[in-house]
Amino acid sequence: MQSSSLSQSEGNTLFPIVLSVVAAAATGVLWAYANPIQLVPGVIQWRIFAFLPPVVGILIGWRSGFICGYLGTIIWSLLAGTFIPAHSLIVDGIMVGLTGLVPGLLFDPAKTSFDRATLLRIALTCLVVGVVMVAAVSASLAYLGIFPFWWAFGYIGLSDIVPMVIGTPLLILPAMKILKSAHPAGFKRF
């Protein structure tokens, strides 16, 4: 069982809010500029940093995970030139925000022992929430006449689900150690 200082401390409440906004900005910038593999050149790239919203949600709190995913998507779409108001602000933003919110609700470092079984449950959670997110985003893109549903589902699924399922459980423990050393007094999850 991990120390409860990450979640239950009455310490700084501003720290997780600021960190979630910084993580959202980093997410958007990394998605826009640090994705070396173009699945559909200029449109869909393999977002190797898709694990950021779930990791932020688990470590900093479900609201922070949502902020990271939602704002990260808006920042990415503006930087990448793929911003579509109805799609980006409503469907894409909210659904990617849920990829940070749901794991953050289910896994609290103060109440969770991050053993192999838990890491497997985190991967399964990322898979389920990723499939729901990709289905909603693909339906939105199909409705708007941008891409056919199954085409979008396949490419966006490869782009986002694979990094979430592999990256989140792989990086949660190292990220927890970094966060604990950055704020040893603890903070209240947001």
Side-chain angles (χ1 to χ4, degrees):
M1 191 100 155
Q2 298 295 326
S3 170
S4 64
S5 66
L6 279 176
S7 294
Q8 301 302 321
S9 173
E10 293 301 320
N12 192 345
T13 306
L14 187 59
F15 179 74
I17 296 169
V18 170
L19 197 55
S20 65
V21 172
V22 169
T27 298
V29 169
L30 288 169
W31 285 353
Y33 298 118
N35 294 300
I37 301 171
Q38 297 289 315
L39 298 175
V40 179
V43 180
I44 299 173
Q45 66 276 359
W46 191 31
R47 297 198 298 194
I48 55 178
F49 296 98
F51 60 82
L52 284 170
V55 167
V56 168
I58 292 168
L59 295 181
I60 305 174
W62 62 271
R63 289 180 203 98
S64 297
F66 184 83
I67 290 168
C68 179
Y70 185 85
L71 288 180
T73 296
I74 303 305
I75 292 166
W76 161 76
S77 65
L78 289 169
L79 292 174
T82 59
F83 182 77
I84 306 162
H87 172 74
S88 300
L89 293 171
I90 300 169
V91 180
D92 201 15
I94 291 172
M95 295 312 295
V96 175
L98 290 176
T99 66
L101 184 144
V102 173
L105 279 174
L106 297 177
F107 303 98
D108 181 348
K111 301 173 185 169
T112 306
S113 173
F114 288 92
D115 56 9
R116 261 185 214 199
T118 302
L119 296 176
L120 202 55
R121 286 195 310 272
I122 289 172
L124 184 60
T125 300
C126 287
L127 175 65
V128 171
V129 76
V131 167
V132 171
M133 179 268 295
V134 169
V137 169
S138 298
S140 174
L141 291 171
Y143 178 77
L144 294 171
I146 297 170
F147 297 123
F149 175 82
W150 289 110
W151 185 87
F153 188 89
Y155 280 109
I156 296 171
L158 180 61
S159 165
D160 289 8
I161 296 172
V162 173
M164 281 193 319
V165 169
I166 295 170
T168 306
L170 186 65
L171 297 170
I172 198 75
L173 292 175
M176 191 179 318
K177 288 178 185 174
I178 292 168
L179 186 60
K180 190 168 183 167
S181 67
H183 206 289
F187 57 89
K188 194 175 202 176
R189 285 177 87 217
F190 177 74

